[in-house]
Amino acid sequence: MWAHYIYRGYNKNRPEANRFAFCMAPFTSLHFSYDGRVYVCHNNHTQAYGHIAKQSISEIWESSLRKEYQHLSKTYQMQKAGCFQCVKEVSEGHYAAVNAHRYDTFTYSKDAAYPAIMGFKFSDVCNLNCIMCYSNHHKSTQVHDAKALYTDAFFEELKLFIPHLQRAYLLGGEPFCEPLNLKLLNLITELNPACKVTIQTNGTLLTEDILRILEKGTFEINVSVDSLNKATFETIRKGASFDAVMANIHKLHEICTSKGTLFGTCVTPMRMNWQGLPDIVNYFGKELNAYVWFNKYYFPARYALWSLDADTLQEIIRTLKSAKIFSGPARAQENAQVYKGFITTLEGYYRDALIRKKPLSKPRKALRLLIEDCQQLINTEIIEDTPEKETALRNLHSLYTLHAEKAYFYLKYYTSYFTGDRFSDILTAVDEAFLRDDVDTVSV
């Protein structure tokens, strides 16, 4: 368990009534994944509460595993719960970036009969080929039939839960590409139009049917924008038109403004777009009075910032710190704090890069022990001997043939942010050549 002083700063700006637990997600939410498993939230895929093909929503909500997560949250044993990302943010003092904060806005009720928040990622279907998306680097794919998992019976039971929701969120892929999302949104706007629905979209699809749904409900919309430079934007978001997305941004902004709901952008900071981050923060804050968020991006490492050498990271930090950030109205001030928080994240990457510069005393042994731990995770995740399991283990073992220190630090980061089925799925999907090239981009 963490020392009290470590989480004291994290709790400082939380509602006092919620401080009995690290995170309210085990008490308030369910997250439905593309493979039918149901989790505590979209960031933690360590252990599912249940599987929608084997249990009803009610059974999953009442599951013993959910109660176990509640206990771990109450006793601040979040590493045992697999909440590695939030643990890392708190341990580094980057409190504003802790994902658990988003669940503090919901009323806690002991033994609540219904969740206050539900998240849905029915599939990763998308109409773009963004360079940083792992799905677009897959050499083989593990396909889940969303319609076979999320059947009419699922949606019929879901009708009992929707009237009690305070919030729902949709993830992808691109949410508007998935027909099940449109089915879900129609249900929510019919049964609980006051429920706030957060949608993360790439901003490319805005049909008349989608506009009608958005006009009927209460939507908070985030559009992914990684650069305000047309060439850079279209290099990153392959298949998207910068001009069309910017036009749609203004339409979506108008819808949210008319309803008094939040509108913003989510930025994925990478090697090819970090210089334009101040421009994005200033444009959305000053011109649109909109929120700006920074995604946490780690893999593929070839595009990520964390894997750069210390000198390069130091220069990036210096440049971004010297940029003038608009901080006029309250929302722009919050964006300025988010920007400052991102620089804190970069400083963490810088410290990690300094650690990588120091040679490991026994790199081969360190790598072997880490691979053995990962093998155990795969064996736990994929119990039966299947082609997918064979692929995952083969890819994992291929790391033995690579630069030991690069492979060790690569895998160390990988295991820090990917858990449960996400951990196994990615190792199942990529191939040895992809891993070899990706590992080689890590500085040591």
Side-chain angles (χ1 to χ4, degrees):
M1 191 181 298
W2 298 336
H4 178 71
Y5 75 89
I6 294 179
Y7 56 75
R8 183 172 57 194
Y10 161 67
N11 275 329
K12 186 177 180 180
N13 294 315
R14 297 180 66 213
E16 191 169 346
N18 291 356
R19 296 176 191 174
F20 72 93
F22 177 86
C23 178
M24 302 307 297
F27 304 93
T28 60
S29 76
L30 292 178
H31 172 78
F32 298 90
S33 187
Y34 63 95
D35 59 3
R37 302 187 204 196
V38 185
Y39 295 98
V40 60
C41 80
H42 73 281
N43 272 348
N44 185 344
H45 285 200
T46 302
Q47 189 170 20
Y49 291 159
H51 195 289
I52 205 64
K54 302 174 183 177
Q55 296 145 291
S56 68
I57 303 173
S58 296
E59 288 171 337
I60 293 171
W61 180 245
E62 297 297 333
S63 69
S64 59
L65 280 170
R66 191 173 73 88
K67 290 178 172 60
E68 181 181 327
Y69 267 63
Q70 291 176 350
H71 169 73
L72 293 173
S73 185
K74 287 178 180 178
T75 54
Y76 280 68
Q77 299 183 77
M78 303 316 295
Q79 286 173 306
K80 287 186 179 180
C83 300
F84 304 125
Q85 187 165 309
C86 286
V87 167
K88 183 175 176 62
E89 301 290 2
V90 171
S91 65
E92 292 180 350
H94 192 189
Y95 305 127
V98 180
N99 183 66
H101 273 311
R102 71 178 62 194
Y103 299 98
D104 278 332
T105 60
F106 303 100
T107 305
Y108 164 70
S109 175
K110 186 178 181 182
D111 300 324
Y114 298 95
I117 179 171
M118 284 183 168
F120 302 88
K121 183 175 182 177
F122 290 131
S123 74
D124 61 359
V125 172
C126 189
N127 59 330
L128 301 183
N129 290 290
C130 302
I131 61 173
M132 68 288 193
C133 180
Y134 240 134
S135 298
N136 297 326
H137 296 280
H138 288 180
K139 305 304 178 184
S140 61
T141 56
Q142 191 172 9
V143 178
H144 299 279
D145 186 348
K147 284 190 69 175
L149 288 168
Y150 293 98
T151 61
D152 289 343
F154 167 81
F155 282 97
E156 195 61 36
E157 186 185 10
L158 192 61
K159 290 179 182 179
L160 302 175
F161 287 80
I162 288 175
H164 303 276
L165 288 179
Q166 297 176 41
R167 185 180 294 274
Y169 61 86
L170 271 61
L171 300 173
E174 167 51 43
F176 291 134
C177 279
E178 173 52 65
L180 291 179
N181 283 328
L182 302 183
K183 182 176 183 178
L184 171 68
L185 292 179
N186 278 313
L187 277 180
I188 293 176
T189 56
E190 175 189 346
L191 301 174
N192 187 1
C195 173
K196 290 183 178 178
V197 182
T198 301
I199 299 178
Q200 178 63 50
T201 174
N202 61 33
T204 59
L205 301 175
L206 208 54
T207 65
E208 289 301 317
D209 286 342
I210 292 170
L211 284 170
R212 277 193 291 270
I213 291 173
L214 296 179
E215 291 289 355
K216 287 164 59 178
T218 308
F219 293 93
E220 296 181 346
I221 301 173
N222 292 314
V223 182
S224 300
V225 176
D226 303 309
S227 178
L228 293 180
N229 177 282
K230 178 180 172 69
T232 303
F233 178 94
E234 293 180 355
T235 297
I236 294 171
R237 303 232 160 222
K238 291 185 177 180
S241 161
F242 175 77
D243 295 331
V245 169
M246 293 305 294
N248 286 340
I249 280 174
H250 287 279
K251 291 179 185 177
L252 293 168
H253 175 257
E254 184 178 340
I255 290 172
C256 291
T257 300
S258 68
K259 292 177 174 287
T261 58
L262 300 182
F263 177 81
T265 185
C266 283
V267 187
T268 301
M270 292 174 286
R271 297 184 181 191
M272 67 286 292
N273 71 337
W274 66 265
Q275 290 175 310
L277 298 180
D279 294 335
I280 295 175
V281 176
N282 289 334
Y283 177 80
F284 277 85
K286 188 174 183 179
E287 303 300 326
L288 299 178
N289 192 30
Y291 282 107
V292 177
W293 307 102
F294 289 98
N295 288 324
K296 299 178 179 73
Y297 171 69
Y298 305 104
F299 297 95
R302 63 194 66 181
Y303 305 118
L305 294 169
W306 72 265
S307 55
L308 291 168
D309 62 272
D311 291 342
T312 302
L313 283 165
Q314 191 173 42
E315 178 60 21
I316 291 173
I317 292 167
R318 186 197 65 76
T319 302
L320 293 181
K321 276 187 173 181
S322 67
K324 185 173 178 57
I325 301 299
F326 176 70
S327 57
R331 193 159 294 177
Q333 291 176 26
E334 292 182 40
N335 292 343
Q337 288 302 310
V338 169
Y339 180 82
K340 184 178 179 181
F342 171 65
I343 292 176
T344 299
T345 298
L346 287 176
E347 289 169 342
Y349 296 165
Y350 171 71
R351 291 191 294 272
D352 291 340
L354 290 177
I355 291 172
R356 293 198 300 271
K357 286 181 70 174
K358 300 175 182 177
L360 294 172
S361 58
K362 296 181 179 179
R364 287 289 169 192
K365 181 179 180 181
L367 178 61
R368 176 176 58 80
L369 292 174
L370 188 54
I371 288 176
E372 288 175 357
D373 287 343
C374 292
Q375 180 172 316
Q376 181 59 40
L377 286 174
I378 292 172
N379 286 331
T380 301
E381 178 62 33
I382 311 176
I383 299 173
E384 298 179 359
D385 290 330
T386 61
E388 290 78 18
K389 181 177 182 178
E390 181 182 333
T391 300
L393 291 173
R394 182 174 65 249
N395 285 336
L396 180 65
H397 292 158
S398 73
L399 297 178
Y400 280 124
T401 66
L402 307 181
H403 187 288
E405 288 181 306
K406 285 177 178 279
Y408 171 81
F409 287 114
Y410 183 91
L411 194 55
K412 192 75 172 173
Y413 249 77
Y414 185 91
T415 55
S416 295
Y417 296 104
F418 292 144
T419 60
D421 64 334
R422 184 66 173 155
F423 176 90
S424 299
D425 278 358
I426 292 175
L427 275 179
T428 297
V430 299
D431 64 11
E432 295 177 42
F434 177 88
L435 281 175
R436 180 184 63 246
D437 293 343
D438 212 36
V439 167
D440 194 51
T441 64
V442 178
S443 68
V444 291

